[in-house]
Short mmCIF file of all heavy atoms in Angstrom, two decimals:
data_model
loop_
_atom_site.label_atom_id
_atom_site.label_comp_id
_atom_site.label_asym_id
_atom_site.label_seq_id
_atom_site.Cartn_x
_atom_site.Cartn_y
_atom_site.Cartn_z
N GLU A 1 -3.88 -4.02 -5.54
CA GLU A 1 -5.02 -3.92 -4.67
C GLU A 1 -5.79 -2.69 -5.01
O GLU A 1 -5.22 -1.65 -5.36
CB GLU A 1 -4.52 -3.90 -3.21
CG GLU A 1 -5.63 -3.76 -2.21
CD GLU A 1 -5.16 -3.79 -0.77
OE1 GLU A 1 -3.98 -4.11 -0.56
OE2 GLU A 1 -5.92 -3.50 0.07
N THR A 2 -7.11 -2.79 -4.96
CA THR A 2 -7.94 -1.66 -5.25
C THR A 2 -8.58 -1.17 -3.99
O THR A 2 -9.18 -1.94 -3.24
CB THR A 2 -9.07 -2.02 -6.28
OG1 THR A 2 -8.44 -2.47 -7.49
CG2 THR A 2 -9.92 -0.81 -6.61
N ILE A 3 -8.43 0.15 -3.71
CA ILE A 3 -9.05 0.77 -2.55
C ILE A 3 -9.98 1.86 -3.06
O ILE A 3 -9.49 2.86 -3.53
CB ILE A 3 -7.94 1.38 -1.61
CG1 ILE A 3 -6.94 0.24 -1.20
CG2 ILE A 3 -8.58 2.00 -0.39
CD1 ILE A 3 -5.73 0.74 -0.49
N GLY A 4 -11.28 1.61 -2.95
CA GLY A 4 -12.20 2.52 -3.60
C GLY A 4 -11.96 2.49 -5.08
O GLY A 4 -12.02 1.44 -5.72
N SER A 5 -11.64 3.65 -5.66
CA SER A 5 -11.34 3.69 -7.11
C SER A 5 -9.84 3.82 -7.32
O SER A 5 -9.40 3.97 -8.47
CB SER A 5 -12.06 4.93 -7.70
OG SER A 5 -11.53 6.11 -7.15
N ILE A 6 -9.03 3.67 -6.28
CA ILE A 6 -7.58 3.86 -6.39
C ILE A 6 -6.90 2.48 -6.50
O ILE A 6 -7.18 1.58 -5.76
CB ILE A 6 -7.04 4.59 -5.15
CG1 ILE A 6 -7.66 6.00 -5.12
CG2 ILE A 6 -5.53 4.67 -5.18
CD1 ILE A 6 -7.40 6.74 -3.84
N GLN A 7 -6.01 2.39 -7.50
CA GLN A 7 -5.16 1.20 -7.66
C GLN A 7 -3.92 1.41 -6.81
O GLN A 7 -3.16 2.35 -7.02
CB GLN A 7 -4.79 1.01 -9.13
CG GLN A 7 -5.92 0.79 -10.04
CD GLN A 7 -6.54 -0.58 -9.79
OE1 GLN A 7 -5.89 -1.54 -9.58
NE2 GLN A 7 -7.87 -0.61 -9.82
N PHE A 8 -3.67 0.51 -5.83
CA PHE A 8 -2.57 0.64 -4.89
C PHE A 8 -1.64 -0.54 -5.03
O PHE A 8 -2.08 -1.67 -5.08
CB PHE A 8 -3.07 0.77 -3.45
CG PHE A 8 -1.93 0.82 -2.47
CD1 PHE A 8 -1.15 1.94 -2.32
CD2 PHE A 8 -1.67 -0.29 -1.68
CE1 PHE A 8 -0.15 2.03 -1.42
CE2 PHE A 8 -0.63 -0.20 -0.73
CZ PHE A 8 0.15 0.92 -0.60
N LEU A 9 -0.36 -0.26 -5.08
CA LEU A 9 0.66 -1.30 -5.19
C LEU A 9 1.78 -1.00 -4.21
O LEU A 9 2.26 0.14 -4.15
CB LEU A 9 1.23 -1.37 -6.61
CG LEU A 9 2.39 -2.37 -6.84
CD1 LEU A 9 1.85 -3.81 -6.75
CD2 LEU A 9 3.05 -2.13 -8.15
N ALA A 10 2.17 -2.02 -3.41
CA ALA A 10 3.30 -1.83 -2.51
C ALA A 10 4.28 -2.99 -2.72
O ALA A 10 3.86 -4.11 -2.84
CB ALA A 10 2.79 -1.86 -1.04
N LYS A 11 5.52 -2.64 -2.76
CA LYS A 11 6.59 -3.62 -2.94
C LYS A 11 7.77 -3.25 -2.05
O LYS A 11 8.12 -2.10 -1.90
CB LYS A 11 7.13 -3.61 -4.38
CG LYS A 11 6.17 -4.15 -5.41
CD LYS A 11 6.21 -5.63 -5.52
CE LYS A 11 5.36 -6.08 -6.68
NZ LYS A 11 5.25 -7.52 -6.72
N VAL A 12 8.36 -4.30 -1.43
CA VAL A 12 9.54 -4.09 -0.62
C VAL A 12 10.67 -4.94 -1.21
O VAL A 12 10.46 -6.07 -1.58
CB VAL A 12 9.28 -4.55 0.86
CG1 VAL A 12 10.53 -4.41 1.68
CG2 VAL A 12 8.13 -3.75 1.44
N PHE A 13 11.82 -4.33 -1.29
CA PHE A 13 12.99 -4.96 -1.87
C PHE A 13 14.09 -5.03 -0.80
O PHE A 13 14.26 -4.14 0.03
CB PHE A 13 13.55 -4.15 -3.05
CG PHE A 13 12.60 -3.99 -4.20
CD1 PHE A 13 11.69 -2.96 -4.22
CD2 PHE A 13 12.51 -4.98 -5.18
CE1 PHE A 13 10.79 -2.81 -5.28
CE2 PHE A 13 11.65 -4.86 -6.21
CZ PHE A 13 10.76 -3.77 -6.27
N ASP A 14 14.91 -6.11 -0.88
CA ASP A 14 16.04 -6.22 0.03
C ASP A 14 17.26 -5.65 -0.64
O ASP A 14 17.58 -5.97 -1.78
CB ASP A 14 16.29 -7.74 0.34
CG ASP A 14 15.28 -8.32 1.27
OD1 ASP A 14 14.73 -7.56 2.14
OD2 ASP A 14 14.95 -9.48 1.14
N GLU A 15 17.92 -4.74 0.07
CA GLU A 15 19.18 -4.20 -0.33
C GLU A 15 19.18 -3.51 -1.71
O GLU A 15 20.14 -3.56 -2.44
CB GLU A 15 20.27 -5.27 -0.27
CG GLU A 15 20.42 -5.78 1.14
CD GLU A 15 21.60 -6.74 1.31
OE1 GLU A 15 22.55 -6.67 0.48
OE2 GLU A 15 21.59 -7.51 2.26
N LEU A 16 18.09 -2.83 -2.01
CA LEU A 16 18.04 -2.01 -3.24
C LEU A 16 18.50 -0.60 -2.88
O LEU A 16 18.01 -0.06 -1.86
CB LEU A 16 16.62 -1.95 -3.82
CG LEU A 16 16.43 -1.15 -5.08
CD1 LEU A 16 17.18 -1.80 -6.26
CD2 LEU A 16 14.96 -1.07 -5.45
N ASP A 17 19.43 -0.08 -3.60
CA ASP A 17 19.95 1.27 -3.38
C ASP A 17 18.75 2.28 -3.34
O ASP A 17 17.93 2.29 -4.25
CB ASP A 17 20.93 1.67 -4.46
CG ASP A 17 21.66 2.95 -4.18
OD1 ASP A 17 21.03 3.91 -3.72
OD2 ASP A 17 22.84 3.02 -4.50
N PRO A 18 18.68 3.13 -2.29
CA PRO A 18 17.58 4.06 -2.21
C PRO A 18 17.45 4.97 -3.44
O PRO A 18 16.35 5.37 -3.79
CB PRO A 18 17.95 4.93 -1.00
CG PRO A 18 18.80 4.02 -0.14
CD PRO A 18 19.55 3.17 -1.10
N LYS A 19 18.54 5.22 -4.16
CA LYS A 19 18.47 6.01 -5.39
C LYS A 19 17.73 5.36 -6.49
O LYS A 19 17.26 6.00 -7.40
CB LYS A 19 19.87 6.36 -5.84
CG LYS A 19 20.64 7.28 -4.90
CD LYS A 19 22.06 7.52 -5.39
CE LYS A 19 22.85 8.34 -4.37
NZ LYS A 19 24.25 8.43 -4.72
N GLU A 20 17.56 4.03 -6.38
CA GLU A 20 16.84 3.29 -7.39
C GLU A 20 15.32 3.25 -7.15
O GLU A 20 14.53 2.80 -7.99
CB GLU A 20 17.35 1.86 -7.49
CG GLU A 20 18.84 1.80 -7.93
CD GLU A 20 19.03 2.40 -9.35
OE1 GLU A 20 18.23 2.09 -10.20
OE2 GLU A 20 20.02 3.08 -9.53
N LEU A 21 14.89 3.65 -5.94
CA LEU A 21 13.47 3.49 -5.59
C LEU A 21 12.54 4.39 -6.42
O LEU A 21 11.47 3.96 -6.82
CB LEU A 21 13.27 3.79 -4.09
CG LEU A 21 13.84 2.74 -3.14
CD1 LEU A 21 13.68 3.21 -1.70
CD2 LEU A 21 13.21 1.38 -3.36
N ARG A 22 12.93 5.62 -6.71
CA ARG A 22 12.09 6.52 -7.47
C ARG A 22 11.79 5.96 -8.88
O ARG A 22 10.67 5.84 -9.28
CB ARG A 22 12.69 7.90 -7.57
CG ARG A 22 12.06 8.90 -8.53
CD ARG A 22 10.63 9.25 -8.26
NE ARG A 22 10.40 9.73 -6.90
CZ ARG A 22 9.23 9.75 -6.30
NH1 ARG A 22 8.15 9.34 -6.91
NH2 ARG A 22 9.08 10.18 -5.09
N PRO A 23 12.86 5.58 -9.63
CA PRO A 23 12.58 4.95 -10.93
C PRO A 23 11.69 3.70 -10.90
O PRO A 23 10.85 3.50 -11.74
CB PRO A 23 13.96 4.69 -11.54
CG PRO A 23 14.92 5.44 -10.75
CD PRO A 23 14.27 5.70 -9.42
N VAL A 24 11.94 2.89 -9.87
CA VAL A 24 11.18 1.67 -9.71
C VAL A 24 9.72 2.01 -9.45
O VAL A 24 8.77 1.42 -10.06
CB VAL A 24 11.74 0.75 -8.58
CG1 VAL A 24 10.80 -0.35 -8.21
CG2 VAL A 24 13.11 0.19 -8.99
N ALA A 25 9.47 2.99 -8.58
CA ALA A 25 8.10 3.40 -8.25
C ALA A 25 7.43 3.93 -9.54
O ALA A 25 6.26 3.60 -9.79
CB ALA A 25 8.11 4.46 -7.17
N GLU A 26 8.10 4.71 -10.29
CA GLU A 26 7.54 5.26 -11.52
C GLU A 26 7.21 4.17 -12.56
O GLU A 26 6.15 4.23 -13.21
CB GLU A 26 8.48 6.33 -12.16
CG GLU A 26 8.73 7.52 -11.34
CD GLU A 26 7.49 8.39 -11.19
OE1 GLU A 26 6.54 8.38 -11.98
OE2 GLU A 26 7.44 9.12 -10.13
N GLN A 27 8.03 3.13 -12.63
CA GLN A 27 7.73 2.02 -13.54
C GLN A 27 6.48 1.25 -13.08
O GLN A 27 5.66 0.90 -13.93
CB GLN A 27 8.92 1.01 -13.54
CG GLN A 27 10.03 1.45 -14.47
CD GLN A 27 9.59 1.49 -15.89
OE1 GLN A 27 9.36 2.58 -16.46
NE2 GLN A 27 9.46 0.36 -16.56
N PHE A 28 6.34 1.04 -11.80
CA PHE A 28 5.14 0.35 -11.28
C PHE A 28 3.92 1.24 -11.45
O PHE A 28 2.81 0.72 -11.55
CB PHE A 28 5.33 -0.05 -9.83
CG PHE A 28 6.17 -1.27 -9.61
CD1 PHE A 28 7.23 -1.18 -8.72
CD2 PHE A 28 5.90 -2.47 -10.25
CE1 PHE A 28 8.04 -2.32 -8.53
CE2 PHE A 28 6.67 -3.57 -10.04
CZ PHE A 28 7.74 -3.51 -9.15
N LEU A 29 4.05 2.56 -11.42
CA LEU A 29 2.91 3.44 -11.49
C LEU A 29 2.28 3.52 -12.90
O LEU A 29 1.09 3.57 -13.03
CB LEU A 29 3.36 4.85 -11.05
CG LEU A 29 2.25 5.91 -10.92
CD1 LEU A 29 1.23 5.54 -9.84
CD2 LEU A 29 2.89 7.27 -10.60
N LYS A 30 3.12 3.37 -13.90
CA LYS A 30 2.65 3.53 -15.30
C LYS A 30 1.43 2.67 -15.62
O LYS A 30 0.43 3.16 -16.13
CB LYS A 30 3.77 3.27 -16.28
CG LYS A 30 4.80 4.37 -16.37
CD LYS A 30 5.87 4.00 -17.35
CE LYS A 30 6.97 5.12 -17.32
NZ LYS A 30 8.04 4.74 -18.25
N PRO A 31 1.49 1.35 -15.35
CA PRO A 31 0.31 0.50 -15.75
C PRO A 31 -0.92 0.76 -14.88
O PRO A 31 -2.01 0.30 -15.20
CB PRO A 31 0.81 -0.90 -15.57
CG PRO A 31 2.05 -0.83 -14.75
CD PRO A 31 2.58 0.58 -14.86
N LEU A 32 -0.85 1.54 -13.79
CA LEU A 32 -1.96 1.73 -12.91
C LEU A 32 -2.89 2.86 -13.43
O LEU A 32 -3.96 3.08 -12.94
CB LEU A 32 -1.52 2.04 -11.48
CG LEU A 32 -0.73 0.96 -10.80
CD1 LEU A 32 -0.40 1.34 -9.36
CD2 LEU A 32 -1.46 -0.39 -10.82
N GLY A 33 -2.39 3.60 -14.40
CA GLY A 33 -3.25 4.66 -14.99
C GLY A 33 -3.37 5.90 -14.17
O GLY A 33 -2.48 6.29 -13.40
N ASP A 34 -4.53 6.54 -14.33
CA ASP A 34 -4.80 7.84 -13.70
C ASP A 34 -5.11 7.78 -12.21
O ASP A 34 -5.22 8.81 -11.55
CB ASP A 34 -5.94 8.56 -14.41
CG ASP A 34 -5.52 9.06 -15.79
OD1 ASP A 34 -4.28 9.09 -16.10
OD2 ASP A 34 -6.43 9.39 -16.55
N ASN A 35 -5.37 6.58 -11.69
CA ASN A 35 -5.77 6.45 -10.26
C ASN A 35 -4.84 5.56 -9.52
O ASN A 35 -5.23 4.66 -8.74
CB ASN A 35 -7.21 5.90 -10.16
CG ASN A 35 -8.24 6.93 -10.57
OD1 ASN A 35 -8.07 8.10 -10.27
ND2 ASN A 35 -9.26 6.48 -11.31
N GLY A 36 -3.52 5.78 -9.69
CA GLY A 36 -2.56 4.85 -9.08
C GLY A 36 -1.74 5.50 -7.98
O GLY A 36 -1.42 6.67 -7.99
N VAL A 37 -1.47 4.66 -6.97
CA VAL A 37 -0.55 5.03 -5.91
C VAL A 37 0.37 3.85 -5.66
O VAL A 37 -0.04 2.68 -5.58
CB VAL A 37 -1.29 5.33 -4.57
CG1 VAL A 37 -0.30 5.55 -3.42
CG2 VAL A 37 -2.23 6.51 -4.73
N VAL A 38 1.70 4.14 -5.62
CA VAL A 38 2.69 3.06 -5.46
C VAL A 38 3.58 3.44 -4.26
O VAL A 38 4.04 4.56 -4.14
CB VAL A 38 3.56 2.92 -6.73
CG1 VAL A 38 4.71 1.97 -6.50
CG2 VAL A 38 2.75 2.47 -7.90
N LEU A 39 3.83 2.40 -3.45
CA LEU A 39 4.79 2.57 -2.32
C LEU A 39 5.86 1.49 -2.53
O LEU A 39 5.54 0.33 -2.70
CB LEU A 39 4.11 2.29 -1.00
CG LEU A 39 5.03 2.07 0.22
CD1 LEU A 39 5.82 3.32 0.55
CD2 LEU A 39 4.21 1.62 1.43
N VAL A 40 7.08 1.92 -2.65
CA VAL A 40 8.22 0.97 -2.75
C VAL A 40 9.20 1.26 -1.59
O VAL A 40 9.37 2.43 -1.18
CB VAL A 40 8.94 1.00 -4.09
CG1 VAL A 40 8.05 0.47 -5.17
CG2 VAL A 40 9.40 2.37 -4.43
N GLY A 41 9.76 0.19 -1.08
CA GLY A 41 10.69 0.39 0.00
C GLY A 41 11.85 -0.57 -0.10
O GLY A 41 11.77 -1.59 -0.82
N SER A 42 12.89 -0.27 0.65
CA SER A 42 14.11 -1.11 0.70
C SER A 42 14.80 -0.95 2.04
O SER A 42 14.70 0.12 2.65
CB SER A 42 15.04 -0.73 -0.45
OG SER A 42 16.21 -1.53 -0.39
N GLN A 43 15.45 -2.01 2.41
CA GLN A 43 16.32 -1.91 3.58
C GLN A 43 17.71 -2.18 3.12
O GLN A 43 18.03 -3.17 2.48
CB GLN A 43 15.90 -2.96 4.59
CG GLN A 43 16.78 -2.92 5.85
CD GLN A 43 16.34 -3.86 6.92
OE1 GLN A 43 15.13 -4.02 7.15
NE2 GLN A 43 17.26 -4.54 7.57
N LEU A 44 18.64 -1.21 3.47
CA LEU A 44 20.01 -1.32 3.08
C LEU A 44 20.83 -0.80 4.23
O LEU A 44 20.60 0.29 4.75
CB LEU A 44 20.27 -0.54 1.79
CG LEU A 44 21.68 -0.60 1.25
CD1 LEU A 44 22.04 -1.99 0.81
CD2 LEU A 44 21.84 0.40 0.05
N ASP A 45 21.82 -1.54 4.64
CA ASP A 45 22.73 -1.19 5.75
C ASP A 45 21.95 -0.79 7.00
O ASP A 45 22.27 0.24 7.70
CB ASP A 45 23.62 0.01 5.32
CG ASP A 45 24.52 -0.34 4.15
OD1 ASP A 45 24.92 -1.53 4.12
OD2 ASP A 45 24.84 0.51 3.33
N GLY A 46 20.89 -1.50 7.33
CA GLY A 46 20.11 -1.30 8.54
C GLY A 46 19.17 -0.08 8.50
O GLY A 46 18.59 0.29 9.46
N LYS A 47 19.03 0.54 7.31
CA LYS A 47 18.17 1.72 7.17
C LYS A 47 17.04 1.40 6.13
O LYS A 47 17.31 0.83 5.11
CB LYS A 47 18.93 2.92 6.65
CG LYS A 47 19.95 3.45 7.69
CD LYS A 47 20.62 4.66 7.14
CE LYS A 47 21.69 5.17 8.11
NZ LYS A 47 22.37 6.33 7.57
N ALA A 48 15.84 1.83 6.54
CA ALA A 48 14.71 1.67 5.59
C ALA A 48 14.58 2.90 4.78
O ALA A 48 14.75 4.05 5.25
CB ALA A 48 13.43 1.44 6.39
N SER A 49 14.25 2.72 3.51
CA SER A 49 13.98 3.86 2.62
C SER A 49 12.66 3.55 1.94
O SER A 49 12.38 2.44 1.55
CB SER A 49 15.06 3.94 1.52
OG SER A 49 16.29 4.23 2.11
N LEU A 50 11.83 4.62 1.80
CA LEU A 50 10.50 4.49 1.18
C LEU A 50 10.32 5.59 0.16
O LEU A 50 10.80 6.70 0.33
CB LEU A 50 9.43 4.67 2.25
CG LEU A 50 9.42 3.66 3.42
CD1 LEU A 50 8.42 4.12 4.48
CD2 LEU A 50 9.09 2.29 2.92
N VAL A 51 9.56 5.25 -0.89
CA VAL A 51 9.19 6.22 -1.90
C VAL A 51 7.73 6.00 -2.23
O VAL A 51 7.31 4.82 -2.38
CB VAL A 51 10.05 6.11 -3.20
CG1 VAL A 51 9.46 6.90 -4.34
CG2 VAL A 51 11.47 6.55 -2.91
N ILE A 52 6.97 7.05 -2.33
CA ILE A 52 5.58 6.93 -2.79
C ILE A 52 5.43 7.75 -4.05
O ILE A 52 5.92 8.89 -4.19
CB ILE A 52 4.61 7.46 -1.72
CG1 ILE A 52 4.57 6.50 -0.56
CG2 ILE A 52 3.22 7.68 -2.31
CD1 ILE A 52 3.59 6.76 0.53
N ALA A 53 4.73 7.14 -5.04
CA ALA A 53 4.45 7.83 -6.32
C ALA A 53 2.92 7.82 -6.46
O ALA A 53 2.27 6.83 -6.22
CB ALA A 53 5.08 7.13 -7.47
N VAL A 54 2.38 9.01 -6.87
CA VAL A 54 0.96 9.15 -7.08
C VAL A 54 0.76 9.65 -8.49
O VAL A 54 1.45 10.56 -8.96
CB VAL A 54 0.36 10.19 -6.07
CG1 VAL A 54 -1.10 10.44 -6.35
CG2 VAL A 54 0.59 9.75 -4.64
N SER A 55 -0.15 9.02 -9.22
CA SER A 55 -0.40 9.45 -10.60
C SER A 55 -0.81 10.94 -10.62
O SER A 55 -1.45 11.44 -9.70
CB SER A 55 -1.47 8.60 -11.28
OG SER A 55 -2.68 8.65 -10.58
N LYS A 56 -0.40 11.62 -11.68
CA LYS A 56 -0.64 13.08 -11.78
C LYS A 56 -2.09 13.48 -11.55
O LYS A 56 -2.36 14.39 -10.77
CB LYS A 56 -0.12 13.62 -13.09
CG LYS A 56 1.41 13.70 -13.12
CD LYS A 56 1.86 14.66 -14.17
CE LYS A 56 3.36 14.61 -14.30
NZ LYS A 56 4.05 15.39 -13.30
N PRO A 57 -3.06 12.87 -12.23
CA PRO A 57 -4.44 13.30 -12.01
C PRO A 57 -4.93 13.11 -10.54
O PRO A 57 -5.66 13.91 -10.04
CB PRO A 57 -5.27 12.42 -12.93
CG PRO A 57 -4.33 11.97 -13.98
CD PRO A 57 -3.01 11.86 -13.29
N LEU A 58 -4.42 12.10 -9.90
CA LEU A 58 -4.78 11.82 -8.53
C LEU A 58 -4.06 12.71 -7.50
O LEU A 58 -4.57 12.91 -6.40
CB LEU A 58 -4.50 10.33 -8.25
CG LEU A 58 -5.06 9.70 -6.99
CD1 LEU A 58 -6.63 9.81 -7.04
CD2 LEU A 58 -4.70 8.24 -6.91
N SER A 59 -2.94 13.29 -7.93
CA SER A 59 -2.18 14.10 -7.02
C SER A 59 -2.91 15.39 -6.55
O SER A 59 -2.51 15.96 -5.55
CB SER A 59 -0.80 14.45 -7.61
OG SER A 59 -0.95 15.27 -8.77
N ALA A 60 -3.91 15.79 -7.27
CA ALA A 60 -4.69 16.91 -6.84
C ALA A 60 -5.54 16.59 -5.59
O ALA A 60 -5.91 17.48 -4.84
CB ALA A 60 -5.62 17.40 -7.94
N LYS A 61 -5.81 15.30 -5.41
CA LYS A 61 -6.62 14.86 -4.26
C LYS A 61 -5.79 14.18 -3.17
O LYS A 61 -6.18 14.22 -1.99
CB LYS A 61 -7.66 13.79 -4.73
CG LYS A 61 -8.66 14.34 -5.73
CD LYS A 61 -9.58 13.22 -6.17
CE LYS A 61 -10.48 13.67 -7.28
NZ LYS A 61 -11.31 12.57 -7.77
N ILE A 62 -4.69 13.56 -3.53
CA ILE A 62 -3.89 12.79 -2.59
C ILE A 62 -2.46 13.32 -2.62
O ILE A 62 -1.81 13.41 -3.65
CB ILE A 62 -3.90 11.28 -2.97
CG1 ILE A 62 -5.29 10.72 -2.84
CG2 ILE A 62 -2.93 10.55 -2.08
CD1 ILE A 62 -5.44 9.26 -3.18
N SER A 63 -1.93 13.65 -1.42
CA SER A 63 -0.61 14.20 -1.31
C SER A 63 0.38 13.09 -1.02
O SER A 63 0.30 12.33 -0.03
CB SER A 63 -0.57 15.21 -0.15
OG SER A 63 0.77 15.51 0.20
N ALA A 64 1.36 12.90 -1.89
CA ALA A 64 2.42 11.92 -1.71
C ALA A 64 3.18 12.26 -0.45
O ALA A 64 3.64 11.38 0.31
CB ALA A 64 3.34 11.87 -2.89
N VAL A 65 3.37 13.52 -0.12
CA VAL A 65 4.10 13.94 1.05
C VAL A 65 3.39 13.49 2.32
O VAL A 65 3.96 12.94 3.22
CB VAL A 65 4.30 15.49 1.08
CG1 VAL A 65 4.91 15.95 2.40
CG2 VAL A 65 5.18 15.91 -0.08
N ASP A 66 2.07 13.68 2.39
CA ASP A 66 1.28 13.21 3.51
C ASP A 66 1.34 11.71 3.66
O ASP A 66 1.48 11.18 4.77
CB ASP A 66 -0.17 13.68 3.43
CG ASP A 66 -0.35 15.17 3.61
OD1 ASP A 66 0.62 15.84 4.08
OD2 ASP A 66 -1.41 15.68 3.24
N LEU A 67 1.25 11.01 2.54
CA LEU A 67 1.33 9.52 2.58
C LEU A 67 2.69 9.06 3.08
O LEU A 67 2.78 8.10 3.87
CB LEU A 67 1.02 8.93 1.20
CG LEU A 67 -0.40 9.08 0.69
CD1 LEU A 67 -0.49 8.55 -0.74
CD2 LEU A 67 -1.36 8.36 1.57
N ILE A 68 3.73 9.67 2.60
CA ILE A 68 5.08 9.24 3.00
C ILE A 68 5.35 9.51 4.45
O ILE A 68 5.94 8.70 5.15
CB ILE A 68 6.20 9.80 2.11
CG1 ILE A 68 7.54 8.94 2.22
CG2 ILE A 68 6.51 11.24 2.41
CD1 ILE A 68 7.42 7.60 1.60
N LYS A 69 4.82 10.65 4.97
CA LYS A 69 4.95 10.94 6.39
C LYS A 69 4.28 9.85 7.20
O LYS A 69 4.86 9.39 8.24
CB LYS A 69 4.35 12.30 6.71
CG LYS A 69 5.22 13.45 6.27
CD LYS A 69 4.53 14.78 6.61
CE LYS A 69 5.38 15.96 6.05
NZ LYS A 69 4.73 17.24 6.34
N ALA A 70 3.10 9.43 6.86
CA ALA A 70 2.39 8.37 7.58
C ALA A 70 3.13 7.04 7.46
O ALA A 70 3.29 6.32 8.45
CB ALA A 70 0.94 8.21 7.02
N ALA A 71 3.65 6.75 6.30
CA ALA A 71 4.38 5.49 6.12
C ALA A 71 5.70 5.48 6.91
O ALA A 71 6.05 4.47 7.56
CB ALA A 71 4.71 5.28 4.62
N VAL A 72 6.37 6.60 6.93
CA VAL A 72 7.64 6.68 7.68
C VAL A 72 7.38 6.50 9.19
O VAL A 72 8.13 5.79 9.89
CB VAL A 72 8.36 8.00 7.37
CG1 VAL A 72 9.48 8.29 8.36
CG2 VAL A 72 8.89 7.99 5.95
N GLU A 73 6.35 7.10 9.68
CA GLU A 73 5.98 6.94 11.09
C GLU A 73 5.68 5.48 11.38
O GLU A 73 6.05 5.00 12.44
CB GLU A 73 4.80 7.79 11.46
CG GLU A 73 5.11 9.29 11.59
CD GLU A 73 3.87 10.10 11.93
OE1 GLU A 73 2.89 9.53 12.46
OE2 GLU A 73 3.89 11.30 11.64
N THR A 74 5.04 4.79 10.47
CA THR A 74 4.69 3.38 10.65
C THR A 74 5.91 2.49 10.83
O THR A 74 5.92 1.58 11.61
CB THR A 74 3.82 2.92 9.52
OG1 THR A 74 2.64 3.69 9.42
CG2 THR A 74 3.42 1.44 9.67
N VAL A 75 6.98 2.84 10.11
CA VAL A 75 8.21 2.03 10.20
C VAL A 75 9.19 2.59 11.27
O VAL A 75 10.28 2.09 11.38
CB VAL A 75 8.92 1.84 8.87
CG1 VAL A 75 8.05 1.09 7.88
CG2 VAL A 75 9.37 3.17 8.26
N GLY A 76 8.73 3.61 11.97
CA GLY A 76 9.55 4.15 13.09
C GLY A 76 10.70 5.09 12.63
O GLY A 76 11.66 5.32 13.34
N GLY A 77 10.51 5.69 11.45
CA GLY A 77 11.53 6.59 10.94
C GLY A 77 11.21 8.05 11.22
O GLY A 77 10.20 8.40 11.78
N LYS A 78 12.14 8.87 10.77
CA LYS A 78 12.00 10.33 10.94
C LYS A 78 11.64 11.01 9.63
O LYS A 78 11.10 12.07 9.64
CB LYS A 78 13.28 10.94 11.53
CG LYS A 78 13.68 10.38 12.83
CD LYS A 78 15.01 10.96 13.24
CE LYS A 78 15.60 10.15 14.40
NZ LYS A 78 17.00 10.49 14.62
N GLY A 79 12.08 10.45 8.53
CA GLY A 79 11.85 11.08 7.23
C GLY A 79 13.00 12.00 6.90
O GLY A 79 13.58 12.60 7.76
N GLY A 80 13.27 12.05 5.65
CA GLY A 80 14.37 12.87 5.22
C GLY A 80 14.04 13.65 3.91
O GLY A 80 14.68 14.62 3.57
N GLY A 81 13.04 13.20 3.24
CA GLY A 81 12.66 13.84 1.98
C GLY A 81 11.35 14.55 2.13
O GLY A 81 10.86 14.82 3.22
N GLY A 82 10.74 14.86 0.97
CA GLY A 82 9.40 15.47 1.07
C GLY A 82 9.20 16.62 0.16
O GLY A 82 9.66 17.06 -0.68
#
């Protein structure tokens, strides 16, 4: 999905180990180029895990930490990373 000039991709996986989310997010981010944002999530053992990846050039304008905080609030979580 394109939002303004930003390429955005969101994927949710069932029972994917949270440790696997970062590499998955990075893989999805590569083809999006310099204006990409990726959100990947998983539910495992009744807990939701989310990871956001922002392309390096875009990270000067968009904070992955701010985005993850908003996403975590949306799913009713407290957050643990950042």
Side-chain angles (χ1 to χ4, degrees):
E1 180 176 348
T2 302
I3 303 170
S5 63
I6 297 169
Q7 297 291 319
F8 177 73
L9 176 69
K11 292 275 188 186
V12 178
F13 298 92
D14 288 328
E15 299 188 21
L16 181 65
D17 187 321
K19 293 177 184 174
E20 297 298 317
L21 290 175
R22 170 63 52 201
V24 168
E26 295 294 335
Q27 278 297 102
F28 282 127
L29 187 62
K30 286 179 186 178
L32 300 183
D34 289 345
N35 289 319
V37 175
V38 173
L39 166 66
V40 291
S42 179
Q43 180 176 319
L44 182 65
D45 298 328
K47 294 182 182 179
S49 297
L50 301 171
V51 168
I52 290 186
V54 177
S55 61
K56 287 199 185 281
L58 195 57
S59 66
K61 298 177 186 177
I62 297 178
S63 167
V65 173
D66 291 344
L67 291 176
I68 200 70
K69 286 179 183 178
V72 166
E73 285 179 23
T74 301
V75 297
K78 299 176 196 167

